Amino acid sequence: MKNGVKYQEGLRAAEENWSADIQINNSHPKELRNFHVRLGSEEVVINSKAMQQVFNYASKLHEDRGIPVFIEGETGTGKDIVARYIHLGGVSISAQPFVAVNCAALTHSIFESELFGYEPGAFTGAVVGGRKGKLDMAEGGTLFLDEITEMPVNTQAKLLRVLEEKKYYRVGGVQPINTNTRIICASNRDIKNSIQRGLFRQDLYYRLAVGHLYIPPLRERCEDIIPLTSLFLLKFARAKGKRFQSIAAEAADVLVSYKWPGNVREMRNVIEWAVLLYDDIELKPKHLNPLYRHTKYKTVDENADQMVLSSHDFLLPQEGFNLQEFCTTVVMKALEMNGGNKTTTAKYLGISRSSLYTWLRKINSI
């Protein structure tokens, strides 16, 4: 079997660390043992040594709220999940707020007012009574700033002051406001390159890097692929009333061989798509059409590993389709593909820049 060694290594690692109720169907079906952390409604697989180290360090960071945190990793690796784990410390519910902000969805002109709030009459169009910012909402808890490299440099200077002095000013305000909010930041970009280009303050990076975490991409921890697939397969099968219980060895080989450029988020979407379209006992290669060989998909070139969807030729599931989720995914993937450049992204999508900002604000509010 092609890539059989990689598959067997991943399967052996999974068998050593997991405990539960899904099988890989090969000549000797074996139980995989689920080992996961629950965060509210989310389940987090901790199987590879790399991810065990990430969560062990996250537990230590939870214990000291005075340490700011900077999480690096490719898109879809689960930076938001790790941030919430640091906030919760392994429990499912916290009395303290967790406020997430997608910095890529905010225009530079409203960034400070969104983050710090503003006083009455601070600027034209301001709400009469003023408005609290995200720092107010996160007081006593955690403020998670995703895609921090999208933050304007002048706002970065003010964030550094918050980290060092535990105080901030509302836009148009003259009285300092004390804060006991923990700051966790994340980025999928090369932060050192952003520093060299003058897009990110070096002093802010050094302050944040005290609690630095790196989440490796899924392709570098193949032993997580089968357990994650198992988790998503059972979850969606139960939610949608489907029969899926196991993974064929051939399908497992496809899963382990694929590079997963979108990481765990891409995997989740692929498995949800498969469960929507099919109803079977066993997950098979034909259920993994976007990864395997679907005639409605075409490769970018003959040597490409990724598949792209034709805008006029694709299949829709029979049981309903979440257009909002699909459009959100398209917008965020286009933004990532264009390096976060909103003008280029808008042109790529064939919409105006203002329309793109409307989408990003909508996504940030979901």
Side-chain angles (χ1 to χ4, degrees), residues 4 189 318:
R189 291 195 180 187
Q318 297 294 321

Side-chain angles (χ1 to χ4, degrees), residues 73-80 188 221 261-266 336:
E74 293 180 6
T75 183
T77 51
K79 297 184 290 295
D80 57 332
N188 62 10
R221 43 187 176 99
N263 292 291
V264 180
R265 183 184 295 123
E266 181 186 11
E336 176 191 351

